[in-house]
Amino acid sequence: MKCVPFLIALAVLVIELTPAHFIYTGPLLTAVPALAAVTMGTKGTTVAAALTLAISVTTATYNDAWGTLQVYTNFLALALVSVAGFVASSAVQARRQREQARRQRELDQVRRIAVAAQEVVLRPVPARLGPVLAGSLCLAAGTGARVGGDLYEAVQTRYGVRMIVGDVRGKGLSAIRAVAVALGAFREAVHYEDELAEVMNRCAAALRREVAVPGAFEQEVLLEGFVTALIAQVPDEPVVQLINRGHPPPLLLNQGRATPLMPASPLPPLGLEDLTTDLPGKPESYPYAPGDRLLLYTDGVIEARNRDGEFFAVPETMEGIRADTTPPEFLEQLHQALIRHTEGDLADDVAMILADRH
């Protein structure tokens, strides 16, 4: 549509500079700034008006028509249509700008509400939890009001230190609601359930109950709703016990080398239990000795890309950070490396817990 005014101007120029100039082109030429005002805004209208003026001068000179009533009538018509088009285009543009500003204010308000709700639900983990020194980090992606559903928590219990990291499928307030449900179930179950698998089952059951309530979640979450989750337990023994439900594996930094703790049998996320009948009864154990570092994170970390499409190298970055840093310092350096890699453009929310075994 934007090229139509210029095609008309070209057609008028061809007619006026060929033997077909006996055709009266005044109405065609006045349509150029009028159409530009509708489709191209104030700048396009100005360009179209200047173009039609240049064509009128050129054709009047070429056809030796100066001094005729037709030429001056065409100039007057072009001037009136151009001014009217510019005024109308300015009014439309101003109205669009006001509408965009209103929508941006509404979007900013929704995002502030969502971020505030997220900050209430997620809280920094304690710096000391029994045999573990810990730190946490949560970063929101720059995606308008689409606040993500990353979750984390670390609690000291009579069974040891229990931690969870998860990611709700979906965005916005409904995802934060799912985060609150999962974390509420976790925070209660960790103190009463002997078995780590039962803690995970309590979280899954809470999400199923919430989805079953009419209107509990937005349609997006009802259709796509599931939660990847990883629960870790650090007992008195030099091991870490894990149950992984479709979540990225944690990284264990031991003697300067970062190794992913891959599950022996992949399991579906919470909410997709129907995909398997073989859910675990016992967690998987991995060596976790004093001096080791354990990083639990969401997929926003490993899926972060740079402008060339390369993923963020988390293990290599961990190995390059000095061993004498505290968990908050370690996470801050990891954060800065992530920001440098993505040039500050995070496509997804990020949540991390670092646990040092002492």
Side-chain angles (χ1 to χ4, degrees), residues 1 11 16 42 49 51 61 70 87 89 95 101 114 136-137 146 177 182 194 197 233 246 267 289 297 302 313 326:
M1 285 293 294
E16 291 292 335
T42 54
L51 178 63
T61 303
Q70 179 179 333
V87 172
S89 179
R95 186 166 60 250
S136 60
L137 179 67
R146 307 294 285 171
R177 189 169 183 170
D194 296 345
Q233 178 171 285
L267 296 169
Y297 55 90
I302 57 172
T326 64

Side-chain angles (χ1 to χ4, degrees), residues 37-284:
V38 175
T39 60
M40 302 176 63
T42 54
K43 291 183 179 179
T45 304
T46 303
V47 172
L51 178 63
T52 54
L53 177 62
I55 292 174
S56 296
V57 172
T58 301
T59 56
T61 303
Y62 179 80
N63 293 316
D64 195 21
W66 288 107
T68 63
L69 181 62
Q70 179 179 333
V71 168
Y72 296 123
T73 302
N74 286 345
F75 274 112
L76 179 60
L78 283 174
L80 291 175
V81 172
S82 297
V83 170
F86 184 85
V87 172
S89 179
S90 299
V92 171
Q93 186 170 334
R95 186 166 60 250
R96 288 176 178 172
Q97 290 175 347
R98 289 195 299 270
E99 181 65 20
Q100 290 177 352
R102 183 186 64 81
R103 291 181 179 178
Q104 186 62 45
R105 288 194 300 270
E106 293 177 352
L107 185 64
D108 291 342
Q109 183 179 9
V110 172
R111 178 167 177 79
R112 285 194 298 268
I113 294 172
V115 170
Q118 193 174 42
E119 290 176 349
V120 169
V121 173
L122 298 178
R123 59 196 182 197
V125 302
R128 182 82 189 217
L129 293 163
V132 169
L133 297 179
S136 60
L137 179 67
C138 185
L139 302 173
T143 52
R146 307 294 285 171
V147 177
D150 288 5
L151 62 96
Y152 65 87
E153 181 62 288
V155 182
Q156 185 175 2
T157 72
R158 54 181 173 171
Y159 310 106
V161 178
R162 288 178 165 179
M163 300 175 286
I164 184 172
V165 171
D167 190 359
V168 177
R169 168 68 170 172
K171 300 286 185 179
L173 292 174
S174 58
I176 297 176
R177 189 169 183 170
V179 168
V181 171
L183 284 181
F186 173 81
R187 287 165 177 163
E188 180 181 4
V190 289
H191 294 288
Y192 301 106
E193 295 293 345
D194 296 345
E195 299 297 330
L196 201 60
E198 286 304 314
V199 177
M200 184 73 82
N201 292 339
R202 290 275 293 273
C203 295
L207 288 167
R208 285 196 301 270
R209 287 194 302 270
E210 188 70 12
V211 171
V213 176
F217 288 134
E218 294 176 2
Q219 189 68 15
E220 176 187 6
V221 177
L222 283 172
L223 293 175
E224 304 177 330
F226 61 83
V227 180
T228 66
L230 171 75
I231 293 182
Q233 178 171 285
V234 182
D236 294 333
E237 297 79 17
V239 298
V240 58
Q241 299 167 332
L242 302 176
I243 293 184
N244 192 335
R245 295 288 297 273
H247 199 75
L251 288 165
L252 181 68
L253 186 62
N254 172 262
Q255 296 182 354
R257 181 176 178 82
T259 305
L261 303 183
M262 303 295 297
S265 301
L267 296 169
L270 306 181
L272 300 180
E273 288 81 8
D274 293 341
L275 298 179
T276 182
T277 57
D278 189 23
L279 293 177
K282 292 184 178 181
E284 298 177 0

